[in-house]
Amino acid sequence: MYGGGNTFEAMKATALVDEDPIKLAEFEARIERGEKIEPSDWMPQLYRKQLIRMIEQHAHSEIIGALPEGTWITRAPGFKRKLALMAKVQDEVGHAQLLYGAAETLGKSREDMIQDLINGKSKYSNIFNYPAFTWADSCFISWLVDAGAIVNQVANSKGSYGPYCRALERICAEESFHLKYGHHCVIHLATGTKKQREMMQAAVNRWWAPMMHFFGPSDKISVHSEILMKWKVKMASNDECRQQFLDMYVPKIWELGLTIPDDKLMKNEATGQWEYTEPDWDEFKRVINGDGPCNKERLAVRRKAEERGRWVREALLAPKAKYVTPLA
Ligand code: BYC
């Protein structure tokens, strides 16, 4: 439905039929025992393809995710905030490097991944296709988008593919600093002047729908969850992550006197589950397929960075210039 659909179902059926059944059974038994799969181990082609797809999208999300916050570095209110934001943005780009490295262990080159990003062939997180109009938007990202990312990443760091899990562990450690920084920024605005509180509330209103989309389509319509959870790449479903996020952060948002733009949002005490208005999955689909408010702008910036950096890559890859001593 979102790009995989029936094609993915067909691919899954064919891919698994083509695998050696004994090797496949051994592989699945290893996963069942909680062992890590390493790059030189045997793995089904579909596991490799799925991991490349997911890790690559994650890496792209980190690199594109640096853009909306990055535009606030020059306008951050005060020197301390500027330093902290600069360090955060730098960390996000570093996360992309760790993730590209993990995806490369599966056989796709970094150059191919970057090309697929700038040509619009690969996806990246929906949420970074929205504009950060105000400083409060940047604070929302630092606190709540990072919070959502941590929920997803802490779960998946216990997954089956060694290089991805190790990258996620390191990323989560850094994200926890981002979360504290972002929370501090939001507290400052939410407990500040009337104008600051209104600015923070407007940011929550703007970002809530993309935030609900961030965890992926509901389990009923998710394309890849079944196989990814079977092979322990995803350790929690999209809905489970969304629920955990709501459980951890809605009370904290309310505590600050902020409201959430969803009349149906409430915790059902009998089931322990949060109830909410079903997110608009058509809007989600449009945004992840290239038609969000900032998709074109984000890719244009990335394309420009690629072009401007070409001479550096070429210089680094050029064969060493021969050193000739003046006396020779
Ligand atoms: N945005 O079958 P489903 C950060 C796509 S960065 C866009 O449920 P899956 C940060 C999905 O790819 C951290 N596309 O997929 C950085 C698939 O399309 P294709 C971001 C989405 O893989 C800087 C289709 O929809 N975190 O936090 O089982 C500054 C069907 O979905 C999205 C990650 O990347 C989406 N939100 O589950 C601040 C986590 N959701 O490929 C902060 C790693 C779904 O068939 N990724 N799609 O064309 C994952 O955990 C999983 O890939 C997802 C989706 C949960 C996102």
Side-chain angles (χ1 to χ4, degrees), residues 260-278:
I260 293 171
D262 179 354
D263 293 341
K264 288 202 185 142
L265 186 69
M266 58 159 261
K267 188 165 182 175
N268 182 331
E269 293 302 337
T271 62
Q273 295 285 299
W274 284 86
E275 292 170 3
Y276 48 82
T277 306
E278 188 64 20

Side-chain angles (χ1 to χ4, degrees), residues 64 67 117-118 120 122-131 283-303:
I64 297 286
L67 300 177
L117 167 67
I118 61 184
S122 290
K123 292 192 169 65
Y124 56 87
S125 185
N126 70 299
I127 204 151
F128 303 119
N129 290 308
Y130 293 85
E283 147 112 4
F284 169 76
K285 188 176 165 187
R286 233 181 6 258
V287 171
I288 67 170
N289 285 313
D291 198 17
C294 296
N295 298 56
K296 290 186 183 64
E297 182 188 324
R298 300 281 184 250
L299 289 189
V301 171
R302 196 55 237 152
R303 219 170 276 128

Side-chain angles (χ1 to χ4, degrees), residues 1-5 8 50 53-55 57-69 88-89 92-93 95 99 121 123-129 141-142 145-150 152-153 156 164 168 175 178 210 213-219 221-226 228 233-234 236-238 241 281 284 287-289:
M1 182 178 186
Y2 294 103
F8 172 71
Q50 279 285 351
R53 180 191 65 82
M54 196 171 125
I55 303 174
Q57 286 180 9
H58 191 166
H60 297 332
S61 304
E62 299 280 356
I63 224 159
I64 297 286
L67 300 177
E69 282 180 298
K88 177 190 190 296
V89 167
E92 305 296 359
V93 177
H95 297 168
L99 291 162
K121 207 169 143 198
K123 292 192 169 65
Y124 56 87
S125 185
N126 70 299
I127 204 151
F128 303 119
N129 290 308
I141 299 175
S142 297
V145 179
D146 276 75
I150 291 176
N152 166 293
Q153 290 163 180
N156 293 345
Y164 187 40
L168 289 181
E175 301 278 34
H178 303 169
H213 288 150
F214 177 80
F215 301 94
S218 76
D219 294 352
I221 53 175
S222 164
V223 182
H224 305 290
S225 287
E226 187 190 333
L228 288 176
V233 174
K234 273 169 86 163
S237 75
N238 301 356
C241 286
W281 296 118
F284 169 76
V287 171
I288 67 170
N289 285 313

Side-chain angles (χ1 to χ4, degrees), residues 91-247:
D91 282 354
E92 305 296 359
V93 177
H95 297 168
Q97 302 308 329
L98 288 173
L99 291 162
Y100 284 128
E104 277 185 314
T105 64
L106 292 153
K108 183 164 180 179
S109 75
R110 191 173 296 227
E111 290 71 26
D112 286 349
M113 289 186 258
I114 300 283
Q115 282 311 313
D116 285 349
L117 167 67
I118 61 184
N119 294 335
K121 207 169 143 198
S122 290
K123 292 192 169 65
Y124 56 87
S125 185
N126 70 299
I127 204 151
F128 303 119
N129 290 308
Y130 293 85
F133 289 128
T134 68
W135 170 246
D137 291 327
S138 153
C139 301
F140 183 100
I141 299 175
S142 297
W143 182 31
L144 292 165
V145 179
D146 276 75
I150 291 176
V151 166
N152 166 293
Q153 290 163 180
V154 166
N156 293 345
S157 70
K158 315 271 184 322
S160 63
Y161 188 58
Y164 187 40
C165 297
R166 289 188 286 274
L168 289 181
E169 272 176 25
R170 180 151 165 210
I171 291 171
C172 286
E174 291 184 358
E175 301 278 34
S176 59
F177 287 104
H178 303 169
L179 183 82
K180 285 200 167 76
Y181 153 77
H183 194 194
H184 193 257
C185 292
V186 174
I187 291 173
H188 188 83
L189 294 180
T191 58
T193 63
K194 183 168 176 286
K195 202 157 188 180
Q196 285 173 318
R197 289 200 305 276
E198 282 168 3
M199 183 170 71
M200 195 61 241
Q201 183 60 60
V204 175
N205 295 349
R206 270 196 291 280
W207 288 81
W208 192 252
M211 188 73 234
M212 292 295 278
H213 288 150
F214 177 80
F215 301 94
S218 76
D219 294 352
K220 290 193 288 286
I221 53 175
S222 164
V223 182
H224 305 290
S225 287
E226 187 190 333
I227 193 77
L228 288 176
M229 290 187 74
K230 176 175 156 74
W231 284 338
K232 297 191 181 171
V233 174
K234 273 169 86 163
M235 299 297 281
S237 75
N238 301 356
D239 284 338
E240 283 164 355
C241 286
R242 202 168 3 252
Q243 281 288 334
Q244 196 184 333
F245 170 80
L246 294 171
D247 219 27

